[in-house]
Amino acid sequence: MKRIITLLILCMLGISLIGCSNSDINSKNATNTSNVKGQNSDKKTYCDDDFIKDIYDLTNDSESDEYSTNTDFDKLSPEEQEKIVKEQIVSSIQDKIDKLEKYKKLEFENKELESLASKYIDLLYTKKDLIEDGKNERVNSNGQKLEGYPSYAWLQCENQECGLILEFANYYDLNMSDARKKDLENIKASLERQIADYTGSDKDENNKNVG
């Protein structure tokens, strides 16, 4: 450092040249750095793969695990049992919403997948609302609920959910075994038959809950 200072003092004419040279180098370095940062910032990050991975994690859980509980139902009244089951299902759906809701605000490279993702998230909200509003069970002609029989709107939701999962598997690289895919196809076919044969009085009312 002392040698540099001495040289600068002895070579006053070189000060401006050194300054200009350093300035040019620094300017070039700054420009190169800026270009690299600009290139990095121009590269968009899409969430397509992350969404499919999260769907895989969610659909990989079995229904028995999804709705499991340590509660001893034999010691509870029918009303208490129904309350716990309802809370368990709502909690499970809410867990899915919590995991997927962020994709409403993230950008997809594939716009068709983005639309399907939004539709799936909306469907989860609809299912949650049906449970909380007590509209997931069939209503007969005299207005009485038939416990254990799904409502028209609930059948529609389940059918649409199966269809979306299959679409993710068939067209968007959702990893799924052939056996699992076949099971979903059979479930969807069964749901469609139930929808076609539905006779509950809640059909017209609940039909508007599913877009």
Side-chain angles (χ1 to χ4, degrees), residues 120-192:
Y120 185 73
I121 295 166
D122 290 342
L123 189 62
L124 292 175
Y125 274 110
T126 298
K127 291 180 70 174
K128 180 171 176 281
D129 289 343
L130 288 174
I131 291 285
E132 291 179 334
D133 296 341
K135 294 184 178 181
N136 60 305
E137 293 180 324
R138 181 178 302 193
V139 178
N140 62 21
S141 57
N142 63 6
Q144 182 181 1
K145 284 187 178 181
L146 301 176
E147 294 184 9
Y149 291 87
S151 68
Y152 187 78
W154 185 262
L155 289 172
Q156 283 192 313
C157 283
E158 291 287 286
N159 184 45
Q160 288 189 27
E161 185 170 10
C162 280
L164 286 169
I165 297 300
L166 285 170
E167 196 158 358
F168 294 146
N170 290 329
Y171 303 107
Y172 300 101
D173 298 326
L174 174 62
N175 188 17
M176 182 181 295
S177 68
D178 290 339
R180 172 62 173 159
K181 190 181 296 186
K182 186 64 176 176
D183 286 342
L184 278 179
E185 290 171 347
N186 290 337
I187 291 172
K188 191 174 190 306
S190 175
L191 288 166
E192 289 173 349

Side-chain angles (χ1 to χ4, degrees), residues 6-7 24 30 39 70 86 98 132 168 182 187-188 195:
T6 302
L7 288 173
D24 289 342
Q39 291 172 2
N70 294 324
K86 177 179 177 179
D98 292 342
E132 291 179 334
F168 294 146
K182 186 64 176 176
I187 291 172
K188 191 174 190 306
I195 290 171

